[in-house]
Amino acid sequence: MIGFLLRRLVMVVPALFGLLVVMFLLVRIVPADPAAVLAGDNATVAQIEQIRQTLGLDRPLYEQFWLYLTQVLQGDFGTSLYSSRPIGADIALRLGATIELTLVSLVFATAVGMVLGVLAAVRRNSLIDYVLRFISVGGLALASFWIAIMLQLLLSMHLGWLPLRGRLPASLPAPPHFTGLYLVDSLLVGRLDIFVASLSHIVLPAFTLSLAGLAAIVRFTRSSVVETMQNDFVAYERAVGYPQRRIIMPYVLRSSLITPITQVGLMFGSLISGAVAIEAIFDWPGLGFYLVQAILSSDYKAILAVTLVIGVIYAFVNIVVDVIHGLVDPRISQKG
Amino acid sequence: MRKLVLNGASALAMLSILASPVAAQSANEIVWGDLLPAALDNHVALDQPSQMVMLNVYDGLFRYIGNPPDLQPWLVEDYTGSEDGLTWEFTLKPDVKFHDGSVMTAEDVVYSFHRVLGLNKGAAGTFTPILKPENITAVDDLTVRFVLDSAYAPFLAALPLVSIVNKDLVQEHEKDGDWGAEWLASHSAGSGAYTIDPDTYRPQENLTFIRFEDHFFGWDDNPDPIEVVRAQPIQETTTRVMALMSGDIHATDSYLPTDQVRRVSSTEGVHLAQDESMRVMFLRMNNSKPPFDNINFRKCVSHAMNYEGFITGILEDYAVRNPGPIPRNLWGSPDDLVGYTYDIDLAQEYCDKAREEGAPVDREIEIYTQAQLEQTNQVAQVLQAELRKVGVTMKVIPANFFNLVAMMGTAESSPDMWVHWVSTYFVDPENWIGQTYDSAFQGSWRGSSWYTNPQLDEMLRSARVELDQDKRREVYEEASRIVVDEAVDVWVYNTVQLRGLSDQIEGYKFSPIGSGADFRYLSLKN
Amino acid sequence: MLILRRFLRDVPAVIGALIVLTLVIVAIFAPYIAPRLAEAFDSNLMMRLKPPSADYPFGTDGLGRDILSRVILGTRPALAASLIVVLGAMVIGIPLGLIAGYRDGWVSETIMRVTDVFLAVPQLVLALAMAQILSGGIWSAILALALTYWPFFTRTVYSETRRVRSALFIDALESLGASRLRILTLHVMPNVAAPVIVRATAGMGFTILTLAVLGFLGVGAAPPDPDWGLTIAESRQYLPQSWWYATFPGLAIFIVVLGFSFLGDGLRDLVDPRLRRSR
C-alpha cells in the first residue's frame, strides 16, 4: 500500500510542477500589466513603471520563476495585487466554505443517486425507469448556473422559501472556527439556530451543484445493478424462487455499489468546476467565489494561487479515492 | 408523488421560518450593502469605494460636506496661505485622539504625506508635481508647514485625499521599508468616527465598523448614532435589492440601475435616496487615429449619439445631460453650453464631409467597454446602432479596466474609443478637464484622447497656478467651449446617484465625495 | 445497413440526432429563420423588457431586442465555437495519442506526463484561468478550452492504440516491412476512429455547456454577441420581473446539450455494445 501511495505521489508532483510552469509562463507572456492593476485608478505612467521594478517584472524570466517557486514551496503565494493581503491566508479563510458546499453536494448526490439508480434498475423499463433515465441524461445537460438562477427566481424571489445568498443571515454571527464547516461548528457550540440557518442557506447551492453528479450516479448505479442482476448467480437464485427483495438487498447491492463509489473522484472534479459559478451566483464565500473575484479584478497572482491550490486538493482527493478503491478491490493497488 | 412535493414545500417553509432574520440583530447595528474598497489602505489604492473607509475610519485636514460639496477645515483649526500660494501653514485642533488613544500631532500629518509620496500610489499623482517630501515639516506640535514647488490652485481642494494615519502605530509594523503597507492592508490606524474590526475583515465580503466614542468632532450633533456597521457587499444588483426589500440589509450601493428603482420606490419600508452627483460619463475618442483625427468625423459621432434616448429610455431620466467635461453643477462649466444634440441627418452630413476629405470612415471602429459595468455596454450598443444608420460600423469590445489601462501607454495602442466615468476625487474643474485634456497627462488613462492643443495646454496650466477663482472660472469656461467645439470626446450625462435605503435609517446625508456613506450622521429608528 | 437499423430502434439516439440536425440547419440559415433580424442587434429603447407576446414570442431584452431572434442567432457562435474547440483538441490530441500509444520509452512517457499536467485541475477551472490570462473574449475562451481539452483525446487514442498494437497483426505487418506511418494511418487509425467519434460527439455538447459558463462568468463571448451564457448573465439584473430573459437562452442550452448527449450515447452503444444502457 505504501508503495502504491509513493507511485501516485511520484505521478502527481511533476504534474503539479508542470501546471505551475504553464500558468506562470502564461501570466508573464500576456500583454496585460500586473503593475497597472496594482497602481490603481489614478496612476501616472511613472508610477506604473516604478511598481514594475519593485515587483521585479523587469528581471529575467527564470529569475522571477525561481523566486516564485521558492516562495510557493514555503506556502507563500505573495500578496494580492488587488487587496494587498496575503493570498495564502485569504485562500485558507475560504477553504471551509467550499469544502462544506462540495461535501454536502457529494453526500446528497451519492445517497439520492444510488437510491434512484437502484430503483430504476429494479423497475427496469417501467415508467419510473424511463423518467429516471431522462433525468440522468438531462441532469448532465443542464447548465448549473442557469438552473441555479431559475431556482433562485422561483424559490427565493417569488416564494421566499429559501434565502437568496450567503452562508448565514447578516444578523447571525459565524460560529467559532473549528472545522470551517458552519453545519458542524454550530453544533459543536450548541447553537441550533445557527445550524438551522446555515442549513437553509446551503440547500439551494448544494442542490444545484449536486445535479450533474446525481445524474451520473443514477446512471452508474443503474447499469451496475442491472449487470449484477443478470449474472448467473442471481439468475440462479431467482430461478430457484428467492423473492426479489431478498436477492437485491444483501447480494446485488453489495457487489454493485462499488462501481459508482469509484466515480466519486471524477465527480469531485465536476463539483469543483460547478462550484465556481454556483458560488458566484449565491455569494457563497468559497474558493470559486474568490477565483471569480480574482478574475474580475485581473489579480493574476491570486488566479495562479487558486489554480494551484485546487490542483493540490484535486490530487489529494483522487489519491484518497484510489486508496479506498484499493482497499475494496486489492487488484487495483497491485497493478498500480 | 404530489404528497412528496407538498412535504418538500412545507419543509422548506419551516426552514425559512426558523431561519428568519428577526432573531438576533442588536439594537444599534446596521448592514450596509455597498461595495468594499479594493484595499483598506487608501494611501496604496484609491478607488471610489475607498471613500467609505476614508470618511469613517480616517480624518483629513479638510473635508467635503453636503451637496453641493462644501470644503471645510476638519482636523485644522486655523490655516494661513502665503500671497504667492506657495507656503501653507495648518494648525491642528488639539486633543484629536487616534483609536489607540494617542494624541495626533503635526508629526503624524507629516508622516502621512511622506507615506503617500513615498509609496507613490493612490493620490500621490496629484501631489508629486508640486510637493517634495522635505518641504513638509512640523513647525511645532500642532503646526504643519507645506512649501510647494509651484503654486497649485486646487491644493486645498485635494487635501481631503490624504488620510492622516497614526505614525507610531504604522511604524511599529513597518517591514523592509514597506511603510507598513502589508499590515495596513488589513488593519486601520486612524482617528475617524469609526474603527474597524480587523478579525472579521474579508475582502469583498465583510468589513465591520465600530463606533469610536472619543472622536474629536464629538457626537453632539447625533445623540443616537449607529454603534456597529457591517459592510457586506452583495455582488449582484438584483440580489442586493431583494436583500434590502426583505430587511437583510439597510442600504444598497448608490448606483442602482433604473430598472430596480421602480421596485424600491414601490415597496413598503424602503425608499430611494436620489441625489445629483458629480460624475460625468465620457465616450473617449482617440484623436490621433484616423478617422478620429478628422474633426468632421468626430462631430458625426457626437451627433449620432442618442443622448435623449439613452437618458430617457434606459436611464429613465435618472441622469442629467452634461454637454461638456465639467459637471454642470460645478463652477467652470458654462451655463449656456449646449454641446451636441442627437441629429442623425446632421451626423450623416458630417460623415459625408469627412469621407470627402479622405478620412477612412469605412474602417471598422472599435469601442471598448468595461465588461462588468452593464451601462458601458448599453451606451456603446446604442451608439453602435445609430452609427450603423450613417454607414459607420462599430465593434463593441468589453474589457477589464486594468487591461484597458495597460493599453493607454501609447497613442498607437490606445483604443479608438472607450467608455468611462470621471468621478469626484476632489471638487475642482482640474479633476475633470485639467487632468484630462492637458497633453501632459497623455500616456495615462486620463489622457487617452491624445488631443494636443498648445493653446489649451497653456490655458489649463495657467488655471492650475492662478489663485483667483473668478479668473479660473473664466479660463475653464473658455477651455470647455474649446474641447466642445473641437468635439474631442463625447460627453453624455452627469450622474444622479440612486441608493436604496431602509426607512429605519435616519439622517442620511449625501455628498458627491463618499456618496452618502458617512456613517456618523446616521441613526436607527424603530 | 444493419447498423442504421439498430440505431433507428434507439429512440433517444434518434431524438438526439434530430435535435443536432435541427441545430445545424438553424445555425446555417439563422439569418433567414430569425423572425426579426434587424431587432436582434439594434437597440430599440421603446421596446425594452417586454414579456413574451405574439409579436415577440420570447419577449425582449434590456435593450429592446428580440430574444427569439437572438436565441436563434446564438446557435451559430455556440456551434461554431464548440466545433473549433473539439476539432482543435482532436488535431492536437489524436496525433499525440497515436505516437504515445505506438512508441515506447521516453517519447510516450513525456507525452503522457504532459497530459497529466493538463488534467491536474478540473478542465473548467483551468480554462477559466487561462481564458482570463489570455485577456478574455471569445477567442481566448476557445483557445483555452482547446488547450485544456486535448488530453482527453490523447488518453482515449493512447489506450486504443495500445490495445490494437498488442493485437498480433501489427507485429506481422512490421515484420513484413510496412512503414510506421502506413501502419498508423491505415491500420491503427480506423480502429481508433470509433471511440474518438463517440468522445467528440459527447464533447460537443459538453463544450457548448462550458463555453456558456465562461460567457456567463464574463471571460467568453462579449456583447453584443447573442451568446446564450452571456445573455443569462445580462438578464440577472432584470430579475425577478423579466423572467423570460434568462429562461429561453437557458432552455436552448439544455436542449442542444441534451441532443448531443443522446446522440453520443446512441453512437457509443453502436460502437461498444458492452456498454449498452438499455438491455
Side-chain angles (χ1 to χ4, degrees):
Chain A
M1 184 48 88
I2 289 172
F4 167 69
L5 266 180
L6 278 179
R7 273 202 303 282
R8 286 306 314 256
L9 277 179
V10 167
M11 280 170 71
V12 161
V13 171
L16 288 174
F17 178 78
L19 183 69
L20 182 87
V21 174
V22 169
M23 293 298 289
F24 185 86
L25 286 179
L26 264 183
V27 169
R28 285 302 129 87
I29 55 176
V30 291
D33 189 346
V37 178
L38 198 60
D41 269 10
N42 274 332
T44 60
V45 190
Q47 282 176 320
I48 293 178
E49 189 48 44
Q50 191 200 337
I51 291 167
R52 188 170 291 124
Q53 282 171 18
T54 43
L55 283 181
L57 293 177
D58 53 344
R59 275 188 272 171
L61 203 59
Y62 64 87
E63 241 179 72
Q64 293 183 39
F65 180 72
W66 179 248
L67 194 70
Y68 187 70
L69 183 67
T70 47
Q71 278 179 345
V72 167
L73 287 180
Q74 293 162 27
D76 175 11
F77 290 106
T79 54
S80 155
L81 294 176
Y82 182 70
S83 73
S84 313
R85 303 222 325 160
I87 294 170
D90 271 353
I91 287 180
L93 278 176
R94 285 163 173 80
L95 266 180
T98 296
I99 291 174
E100 182 171 47
L101 180 63
T102 41
L103 266 186
V104 171
S105 304
L106 191 72
V107 170
F108 179 82
T110 317
V112 176
M114 283 189 169
V115 170
L116 293 181
V118 172
L119 192 68
V122 174
R123 302 245 184 278
R124 193 144 43 101
N125 294 331
S126 71
L127 182 65
I128 290 185
D129 184 28
Y130 284 116
V131 170
L132 284 174
R133 267 158 64 193
F134 179 78
I135 290 175
S136 70
V137 183
L140 288 170
L142 273 178
S144 62
F145 67 92
W146 176 67
I147 201 73
I149 291 174
M150 290 288 122
L151 290 176
Q152 209 181 28
L153 178 66
L154 181 69
L155 295 177
S156 306
M157 295 185 185
H158 280 303
L159 298 173
W161 288 352
L162 287 170
L164 259 178
R165 59 172 293 272
R167 289 178 90 181
L168 280 179
S171 55
L172 284 178
H177 186 100
F178 298 112
T179 60
L181 317 183
Y182 285 4
L183 288 173
V184 178
D185 290 349
S186 59
L187 288 182
L188 286 180
V189 292
R191 287 290 299 264
L192 208 61
D193 56 336
I194 298 183
F195 175 80
V196 172
S198 58
L199 190 62
S200 78
H201 278 76
I202 206 172
V203 170
L204 264 190
F207 176 72
T208 42
L209 183 56
S210 70
L211 279 180
L214 178 75
I217 295 278
V218 170
R219 200 167 169 167
F220 276 109
T221 310
R222 181 186 179 280
S223 60
S224 152
V225 171
V226 166
E227 198 168 323
T228 327
M229 281 170 62
Q230 277 171 346
N231 74 19
D232 298 343
F233 179 69
V234 178
Y236 169 77
E237 292 220 321
R238 198 179 281 158
V240 170
Y242 264 71
Q244 176 97 330
R245 195 193 302 150
R246 290 273 300 279
I247 305 172
I248 292 170
M249 288 322 278
Y251 175 70
V252 176
L253 283 189
R254 188 155 27 108
S255 58
S256 56
L257 290 191
I258 293 170
T259 326
I261 285 178
T262 59
Q263 294 302 313
V264 165
L266 275 178
M267 205 169 111
F268 186 77
S270 85
L271 284 180
I272 288 274
S273 302
V276 176
I278 296 291
E279 287 185 3
I281 289 171
F282 290 101
D283 284 356
W284 191 264
L287 275 187
F289 183 83
Y290 186 71
L291 178 62
V292 171
Q293 292 295 322
I295 281 173
L296 296 185
S297 53
S298 290
D299 194 341
Y300 299 107
K301 280 173 138 183
I303 295 175
L304 205 69
V306 177
T307 316
L308 290 177
V309 168
I310 290 179
V312 171
I313 298 174
Y314 193 42
F316 174 77
V317 170
N318 274 308
I319 290 177
V320 169
V321 170
D322 282 352
V323 168
I324 294 173
H325 196 182
L327 290 175
V328 177
D329 188 351
R331 280 170 303 172
I332 307 286
S333 57
Q334 278 152 25
K335 266 194 298 186
Chain B
M1 199 62 197
R2 184 188 295 158
K3 200 170 166 191
L4 191 78
V5 171
L6 279 178
N7 280 342
S10 53
L12 289 183
M14 276 269 286
L15 271 181
S16 67
I17 290 165
L18 283 168
S20 65
V22 238
Q25 206 153 61
S26 87
N28 243 326
E29 179 174 326
I30 62 169
V31 185
W32 195 260
D34 206 342
L35 293 181
L36 293 183
L40 291 190
D41 185 352
N42 57 70
H43 291 179
V44 169
L46 184 65
D47 50 17
Q48 278 302 306
S50 296
Q51 295 287 352
M52 189 200 287
V53 172
M54 293 171 74
L55 290 177
N56 291 303
V57 181
Y58 294 95
D59 292 307
L61 294 179
F62 281 70
R63 174 172 287 211
Y64 288 104
I65 291 172
N67 192 23
D70 181 22
L71 183 66
Q72 295 178 4
W74 187 247
L75 289 171
V76 165
E77 189 158 75
D78 203 11
Y79 68 102
T80 56
S82 66
E83 197 77 347
D84 57 4
L86 291 180
T87 308
W88 295 86
E89 275 192 17
F90 301 95
T91 311
L92 299 178
K93 291 182 177 155
D95 297 327
V96 176
K97 282 206 181 68
F98 282 113
H99 296 147
D100 67 355
S102 59
V103 175
M104 184 186 291
T105 67
E107 284 299 335
D108 295 303
V109 178
V110 172
Y111 177 77
S112 300
F113 278 85
H114 282 178
R115 189 169 185 269
V116 167
L117 294 173
L119 286 164
N120 200 17
K121 291 177 191 164
T126 306
F127 295 100
T128 37
I130 47 147
L131 190 56
K132 297 211 166 50
E134 60 268 26
N135 295 331
I136 312 162
T137 46
V139 179
D140 60 42
D141 258 10
L142 291 177
T143 312
V144 193
R145 178 187 296 148
F146 293 79
V147 182
L148 310 186
D149 300 347
S150 56
Y152 186 57
F155 179 62
L156 289 185
L159 284 179
L161 285 174
V162 177
S163 295
I164 306 305
V165 300
N166 184 337
K167 179 185 177 185
D168 295 338
L169 187 60
V170 175
Q171 278 189 330
E172 232 172 77
H173 296 94
E174 272 181 13
K175 228 166 71 182
D176 332 315
D178 75 342
W179 294 93
E182 192 183 323
W183 183 77
L184 213 53
S186 313
H187 298 80
S188 68
S191 59
Y194 286 82
T195 160
I196 63 157
D197 173 12
D199 295 336
T200 55
Y201 172 54
R202 311 244 175 129
Q204 300 313 304
E205 274 174 53
N206 182 69
L207 179 61
T208 305
F209 297 81
I210 300 158
R211 190 168 74 93
F212 178 53
E213 275 186 52
D214 291 336
H215 188 236
F216 81 92
F217 195 82
W219 294 90
D220 296 341
D221 59 330
N222 183 5
D224 192 20
I226 310 279
E227 293 299 331
V228 176
V229 179
R230 274 196 263 166
Q232 297 193 337
I234 299 179
Q235 302 302 323
E236 182 57 40
T237 306
T238 299
T239 319
R240 199 152 50 216
V241 171
M242 299 286 309
L244 176 76
M245 291 172 18
S246 67
D248 281 348
I249 62 174
H250 293 86
T252 67
D253 63 308
S254 62
Y255 300 108
L256 284 186
T258 43
D259 299 279
Q260 300 289 347
V261 161
R262 224 170 306 132
R263 296 175 55 220
V264 172
S265 319
S266 64
T267 304
E268 284 286 307
V270 298
H271 64 277
L272 190 75
Q274 180 182 336
D275 299 277
E276 183 170 357
S277 188
M278 292 178 176
R279 175 175 177 261
V280 181
M281 180 185 248
F282 281 56
L283 311 185
R284 299 307 282 272
M285 295 190 275
N286 184 343
N287 285 230
S288 72
K289 265 191 195 171
F292 291 99
D293 56 351
N294 181 306
I295 184 170
N296 287 317
F297 182 72
R298 297 200 300 269
K299 288 193 171 171
C300 169
V301 177
S302 301
H303 279 297
M305 175 62 207
N306 189 348
Y307 305 98
E308 299 79 4
F310 181 66
I311 292 173
T312 306
I314 292 187
L315 303 181
E316 302 188 4
D317 285 322
Y318 290 111
V320 187
R321 169 86 178 107
N322 206 83
I326 303 176
R328 35 150 252 142
N329 51 351
L330 179 66
W331 59 275
S333 169
D335 290 337
D336 55 352
L337 191 65
V338 179
Y340 295 89
T341 49
Y342 169 58
D343 186 335
I344 207 75
D345 298 329
L346 208 51
Q348 184 73 63
E349 249 171 60
Y350 277 116
C351 262
D352 291 345
K353 217 185 280 179
R355 194 178 280 116
E356 278 164 28
E357 289 166 8
V361 174
D362 300 318
R363 102 172 156 85
E364 190 183 56
I365 308 293
E366 293 179 342
I367 185 166
Y368 282 75
T369 62
Q370 300 183 49
Q372 274 88 51
L373 301 172
E374 185 59 14
Q375 240 188 61
T376 64
N377 299 323
Q378 289 174 337
V379 77
Q381 289 177 54
V382 168
L383 182 61
Q384 180 190 42
E386 298 298 339
L387 280 177
R388 196 180 299 134
K389 293 180 188 162
V390 297
V392 176
T393 37
M394 191 166 85
K395 190 173 160 199
V396 180
I397 308 176
N400 173 304
F401 183 77
F402 304 112
N403 295 3
L404 273 166
V405 166
M407 297 168 71
M408 311 288 179
T410 64
E412 260 312 289
S413 61
S414 294
D416 291 337
M417 292 189 75
W418 71 293
V419 189
H420 67 84
W421 289 269
V422 178
S423 307
T424 317
Y425 284 93
F426 54 96
V427 185
D428 189 284
E430 167 78 0
N431 182 58
W432 285 274
I433 194 169
Q435 299 192 349
T436 308
Y437 297 113
D438 178 346
S439 62
F441 286 85
Q442 290 174 0
S444 74
W445 66 268
R446 285 184 167 268
S448 54
S449 306
W450 298 95
Y451 172 78
T452 312
N453 178 343
Q455 185 207 347
L456 184 70
D457 284 352
E458 189 53 44
M459 289 168 65
L460 293 173
R461 285 165 200 173
S462 73
R464 207 170 282 143
V465 296
E466 174 60 60
L467 299 176
D468 179 346
Q469 188 170 322
D470 288 333
K471 286 190 189 147
R472 294 184 71 211
R473 178 198 306 272
E474 271 170 41
V475 179
Y476 283 127
E477 293 192 352
E478 188 50 34
S480 297
R481 290 200 176 89
I482 291 177
V483 292
V484 170
D485 286 346
E486 292 273 285
V488 179
D489 285 323
V490 178
W491 306 277
V492 184
Y493 70 83
N494 187 31
T495 308
V496 172
Q497 294 203 26
L498 303 164
R499 192 192 289 276
L501 283 175
S502 157
D503 288 350
Q504 290 178 304
I505 298 276
E506 278 185 339
Y508 178 74
K509 197 163 165 179
F510 181 85
S511 173
I513 299 91
S515 308
D518 198 347
F519 303 143
R520 63 164 295 115
Y521 303 115
L522 304 180
S523 56
L524 198 57
K525 177 178 72 174
N526 286 315
Chain C
M1 275 313 97
L2 183 71
I3 286 191
L4 187 65
R5 208 174 303 152
R6 226 170 71 200
F7 182 81
L8 286 177
R9 270 207 309 266
D10 186 349
V11 179
V14 172
I15 295 175
L18 286 178
I19 292 176
V20 172
L21 195 67
T22 316
L23 171 72
V24 172
I25 292 172
V26 169
I28 292 174
F29 299 104
Y32 306 100
I33 297 173
R36 293 169 180 271
L37 188 59
E39 286 170 67
F41 288 105
D42 281 354
S43 57
N44 180 355
L45 303 178
M46 298 292 92
M47 286 302 296
R48 297 178 69 230
L49 304 172
K50 298 283 179 243
S53 63
D55 287 344
Y56 299 91
F58 288 3
T60 64
D61 71 4
L63 287 169
R65 300 172 298 194
D66 179 34
I67 294 181
L68 172 60
S69 301
R70 289 178 67 77
V71 167
I72 290 174
L73 288 167
T75 52
R76 279 189 161 184
L79 194 63
S82 54
L83 205 60
I84 300 174
V85 169
V86 173
L87 288 180
M90 285 166 78
V91 168
I92 309 173
I94 295 176
L96 287 177
L98 284 174
I99 297 168
Y102 195 77
R103 309 254 317 240
D104 283 314
W106 66 271
V107 177
S108 166
E109 191 63 19
T110 310
I111 291 173
M112 295 320 285
R113 290 296 77 82
V114 174
T115 65
D116 284 346
V117 170
F118 286 88
L119 296 171
V121 177
Q123 193 213 358
L124 177 82
V125 175
L126 192 55
L128 195 59
M130 281 190 174
Q132 155 65 20
I133 292 169
L134 295 168
S135 77
I138 186 67
W139 287 106
S140 300
I142 289 175
L143 187 62
L145 279 179
L147 280 180
T148 49
Y149 197 38
W150 66 267
F152 294 91
F153 284 103
T154 307
R155 287 259 169 119
T156 309
V157 173
Y158 169 81
S159 56
E160 288 300 317
T161 313
R162 280 277 138 131
R163 199 170 53 79
V164 174
R165 201 189 65 162
S166 59
L168 275 175
F169 71 95
I170 297 279
D171 288 344
L173 286 171
E174 270 189 348
S175 64
L176 285 175
S179 81
R180 206 169 262 166
L181 190 67
R182 193 184 157 85
I183 297 176
L184 274 178
T185 47
L186 284 186
H187 300 280
V188 179
M189 278 285 267
N191 280 292
V192 213
V196 165
I197 289 170
V198 170
R199 182 166 261 296
T201 312
M204 281 292 294
F206 183 71
T207 304
I208 288 176
L209 205 56
T210 318
L211 272 166
V213 179
L214 293 188
F216 176 75
L217 292 175
V219 291
D225 281 5
D227 180 84
W228 297 330
L230 180 68
T231 307
I232 295 174
E234 286 170 347
S235 78
R236 285 190 75 199
Q237 66 162 303
Y238 303 106
L239 292 175
Q241 303 99 320
S242 309
W243 55 269
W244 58 88
Y245 200 159
T247 305
F248 295 108
L251 277 176
I253 299 175
F254 176 63
I255 293 170
V256 167
V257 178
L258 196 65
F260 278 109
S261 303
F262 277 148
L263 182 61
D265 284 353
L267 290 179
R268 193 191 51 206
D269 290 353
L270 289 183
V271 171
D272 189 352
R274 280 173 305 165
L275 293 172
R276 280 198 71 106
R277 291 154 300 157
S278 42
R279 277 182 293 193

